[in-house]
């Protein structure tokens, strides 16, 4: 099977749905995408960098200020490498940080430093009340309005709607991360 020659960053945030990123990475690797993982520091409480490194067969990035053997600005290097960034799962925290331009962790800094042409797919995972919160919906709407450069159609930030399911808190409602198949088909469409 030929290499896709597409570089995908999978951003993983602190959600119980973090384990679902493993299936997504496995499918992407099977389809010969080049994949690197970027975990927020709190995501490491849900899934280990070693798991993601084993699946991607690449180093995993978790800390913007981790000592390195040679100089590079990790967020800039990664943002230039990526053809597409997929944040799955995306918590309310990371969506809000991106919306307001915060860069206090490696994933947020990477998204902020992306070239204008690079799309970001966001697969939210959160409690129904958080998803439906007016502030969250305002943040999502503001990101959806950011356009790509003139020669590209569509917006820079593409949201893959969460589904209705039984959530980690025990309630049933909208907020479960979209299935890997839907995320994969969206990646194929936009990569």
């Amino acid at each position: 099977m030929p290499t896709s020659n597409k570089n995908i960053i999978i951003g993983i945030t602190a959600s119980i749905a973090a384990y679902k990123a493993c299936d997504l990475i496995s499918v992407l690797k099977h389809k010969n995408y080049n994949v690197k993982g970027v975990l927020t520091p709190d995501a490491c409480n849900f899934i280990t960098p070693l798991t993601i490194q084993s699946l991607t067969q690449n180093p995993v990035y978790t800390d913007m200020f981790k000592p390195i053997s040679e100089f590079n600005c990790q967020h800039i290097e990664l943002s230039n490498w990526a053809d597409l960034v997929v944040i799955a799962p995306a918590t309310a925290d990371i969506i809000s940080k991106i919306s307001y331009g915060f860069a206090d962790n490696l994933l947020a800094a990477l998204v902020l430093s992306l070239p204008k042409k690079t799309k970001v797919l966001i697969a939210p995972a959160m409690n129904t009340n958080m998803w439906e919160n007016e502030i969250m919906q305002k943040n999502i709407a503001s990101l959806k309005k950011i356009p790509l450069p003139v020669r590209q159609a569509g917006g820079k930030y593409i949201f893959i709607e969460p589904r209705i399911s039984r959530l980690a808190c025990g309630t049933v409602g909208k907020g479960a991360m979209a299935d890997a198949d839907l995320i994969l088909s969206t990646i194929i469409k936009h990569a």
Side-chain angles (χ1 to χ4, degrees), residues 25 42 44-45 48 74 80 129 145-146 156 163 168 175 186:
I25 291 167
D42 288 339
C44 298
N45 292 315
T48 68
Q74 287 184 30
N80 288 331
N129 292 340
K145 289 179 186 174
I146 297 173
K156 182 173 182 72
R163 35 185 195 89
T186 308

Side-chain angles (χ1 to χ4, degrees), residues 166-182:
R166 184 177 186 279
L167 304 174
C169 61
T171 62
V172 174
K174 191 169 187 178
M177 188 172 90
D179 290 324
D181 290 343
L182 178 57

Side-chain angles (χ1 to χ4, degrees), residues 44-93:
C44 298
N45 292 315
F46 292 90
I47 193 159
T48 68
L50 181 58
T51 300
I52 302 305
Q53 179 178 317
S54 298
L55 293 170
T56 63
Q57 301 170 339
N58 275 311
V60 173
Y61 304 87
T62 60
D63 186 353
M64 197 160 32
F65 301 106
K66 187 175 183 178
I68 51 177
S69 58
E70 60 185 63
F71 177 78
N72 67 18
C73 295
Q74 287 184 30
H75 61 293
I76 303 299
E77 182 180 306
L78 289 167
S79 68
N80 288 331
W81 179 84
D83 292 312
L84 182 71
V85 174
V86 180
I87 305 175
T91 57
D93 184 61

Side-chain angles (χ1 to χ4, degrees), residues 37-188:
V38 177
L39 281 68
T40 62
D42 288 339
C44 298
N45 292 315
F46 292 90
I47 193 159
T48 68
L50 181 58
T51 300
I52 302 305
Q53 179 178 317
S54 298
L55 293 170
T56 63
Q57 301 170 339
N58 275 311
V60 173
Y61 304 87
T62 60
D63 186 353
M64 197 160 32
F65 301 106
K66 187 175 183 178
I68 51 177
S69 58
E70 60 185 63
F71 177 78
N72 67 18
C73 295
Q74 287 184 30
H75 61 293
I76 303 299
E77 182 180 306
L78 289 167
S79 68
N80 288 331
W81 179 84
D83 292 312
L84 182 71
V85 174
V86 180
I87 305 175
T91 57
D93 184 61
I94 197 70
I95 293 169
S96 297
K97 285 179 182 188
I98 294 168
S99 175
Y100 283 93
F102 291 173
D104 63 347
N105 65 46
L106 181 58
L107 182 57
L110 180 151
V111 171
L112 193 62
S113 64
L114 286 170
K116 287 183 180 183
K117 65 180 176 54
T118 306
K119 295 179 184 179
V120 180
L121 303 184
I122 299 173
M126 64 191 75
N127 171 271
T128 303
N129 292 340
M130 295 172 80
W131 173 253
E132 293 175 351
N133 183 281
E134 298 83 359
I135 296 168
M136 179 56 48
Q137 290 303 311
K138 179 182 171 193
N139 290 343
I140 291 168
S142 72
L143 288 171
K144 285 181 175 180
K145 289 179 186 174
I146 297 173
L148 287 167
V150 176
R151 293 189 187 114
Q152 289 181 281
K156 182 173 182 72
Y157 296 93
I158 296 131
F159 281 80
I160 306 167
E161 291 280 317
R163 35 185 195 89
I164 296 172
S165 182
R166 184 177 186 279
L167 304 174
C169 61
T171 62
V172 174
K174 191 169 187 178
M177 188 172 90
D179 290 324
D181 290 343
L182 178 57
I183 297 171
L184 178 63
S185 65
T186 308
I187 290 170
I188 292 168

